[in-house]
């Protein structure tokens, strides 16, 4: 079945550092890929998405490129801010249009 | 303005005592979903409603039921909560389940079963 794997553990980094959160997937066919973000005390919000290979999703300085050859959709941001502290979830929607989520990564940005 | 509202934010119940969680939406979306998210795990889809049609996931325990009396409201009923049902319960909506359109999530209800 469809599944998403995110790197283990929280990510702690200093303000203005470069952020990468790894995401790989297993799916049949050609899924759509998403990153959702959950700020403290709030629900999940769609951050960005890509619907086909080589597409790049971007929003709020975050980017992720749909890599079919490596089945990956890594999230990157060049210079993080304290306000980016949140939990980030990678997800995919396959042929059944069910969203399959990864476990999420807690990102803590220190001033 | 909150568009998907879940109440209560925190709920404590006793082992075996029925509990109901509620979700309302102001988006007039056709689809409403319930996810269960245990600590440090991925959100897991329990079921969804497409209009009045109920769609249960194959591995959702019978202990979990849902009601959707109208477009705006959807309820999650846990008939006999066990300790393992302690989790965050997330409600989400979308216009159409057959596209990869984004979901709108509520803030969740943290349920503790003691």
């Amino acid at each position: 079945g469809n599944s998403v794997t995110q790197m283990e553990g929280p990510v702690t980094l200093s303000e203005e550092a470069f952020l990468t959160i790894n995401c790989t997937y297993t799916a049949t066919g050609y899924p759509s890929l998403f990153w959702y973000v959950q700020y403290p005390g709030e629900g999940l919000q769609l951050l960005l998405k890509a619907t086909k290979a080589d597409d790049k999703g971007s929003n709020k300085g975050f980017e992720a490129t749909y890599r079919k050859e490596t089945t990956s959709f890594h999230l990157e941001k060049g210079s993080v801010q304290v306000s980016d502290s949140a939990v980030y979830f990678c997800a995919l929607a396959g042929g059944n249009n069910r969203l399959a989520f990864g476990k999420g990564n807690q990102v803590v940005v220190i001033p | 303005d909150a568009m998907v509202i879940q109440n209560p934010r925190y709920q404590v119940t006793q082992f075996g005592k029925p509990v109901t969680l509620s979700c309302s939406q102001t988006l007039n979306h056709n689809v409403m979903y319930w996810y269960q998210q245990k600590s440090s795990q991925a959100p897991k889809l329990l079921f969804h409603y497409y209009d009045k049609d109920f769609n249960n996931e194959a591995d959702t325990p019978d202990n979990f039921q849902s009601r959707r009396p109208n477009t705006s409201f959807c309820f999650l009923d846990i008939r006999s909560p066990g300790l393992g049902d302690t989790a965050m319960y997330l409600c989400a909506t979308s216009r159409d389940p057959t596209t990869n359109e984004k979901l709108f999530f509520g803030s969740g209800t943290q349920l503790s079963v003691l």
Side-chain angles (χ1 to χ4, degrees):
Chain A
N2 296 337
S3 66
V4 173
T5 302
Q6 291 183 234
M7 53 194 282
E8 290 291 328
V11 178
T12 303
L13 60 170
S14 299
E15 205 165 22
E16 299 184 2
F18 185 89
L19 170 69
T20 299
I21 306 176
N22 289 341
C23 171
T24 57
Y25 67 90
T26 302
T28 54
Y30 303 96
S32 293
L33 301 173
F34 306 82
W35 277 99
Y36 277 80
V37 58
Q38 187 175 27
Y39 297 105
E42 299 183 16
L44 279 72
Q45 305 171 26
L46 180 66
L47 180 60
L48 54 84
K49 73 175 186 179
T51 57
K52 60 183 188 296
D54 300 325
D55 266 3
K56 178 186 285 187
S58 61
N59 186 23
K60 299 182 181 179
F62 290 89
E63 293 183 340
T65 301
Y66 189 140
R67 301 283 188 203
K68 191 171 186 299
E69 64 276 13
T70 54
T71 61
S72 65
F73 193 55
H74 304 322
L75 183 68
E76 297 180 335
K77 185 173 185 181
S79 176
V80 293
Q81 306 301 313
V82 172
S83 58
D84 293 324
S85 297
V87 182
Y88 293 81
F89 293 90
C90 186
L92 73 80
N96 63 3
N97 287 302
R98 299 285 192 274
L99 267 187
F101 286 93
K103 292 184 178 181
N105 285 104
Q106 174 82 51
V107 172
V108 177
V109 181
I110 301 170
Chain B
D1 293 334
M3 295 178 286
V4 181
I5 303 163
Q6 291 188 243
N7 285 305
R9 188 66 185 275
Y10 300 95
Q11 176 74 56
V12 179
T13 191
Q14 291 179 336
F15 181 92
K17 185 175 181 181
V19 65
T20 295
L21 310 181
S22 73
C23 177
S24 63
Q25 54 132 340
T26 60
L27 298 165
N28 205 34
H29 280 173
N30 294 318
V31 192
M32 295 187 77
Y33 306 81
W34 279 104
Y35 284 83
Q36 179 194 60
Q37 184 184 14
K38 296 186 177 180
S39 181
S40 302
Q41 296 186 22
K44 176 181 177 297
L45 181 63
L46 295 173
F47 28 59
H48 75 275
Y49 271 97
Y50 183 15
D51 291 332
K52 296 181 180 180
D53 292 334
F54 178 69
N55 298 271
N56 200 25
E57 294 301 299
D59 55 355
T60 298
D62 293 340
N63 198 26
F64 290 84
Q65 303 287 320
S66 187
R67 296 170 284 135
R68 190 179 186 186
N70 53 53
T71 300
S72 301
F73 285 87
C74 193
F75 300 98
L76 169 62
D77 300 308
I78 308 177
R79 292 190 297 188
S80 182
L83 300 180
D85 297 329
T86 291
M88 174 74 79
Y89 290 87
L90 300 169
C91 176
T93 73
S94 69
R95 282 186 295 185
D96 186 338
T98 62
T99 68
N100 294 316
E101 208 170 296
K102 69 177 179 180
L103 301 186
F104 291 80
F105 281 85
S107 298
T109 293
Q110 178 63 51
L111 176 68
S112 297
V113 182
L114 305 179

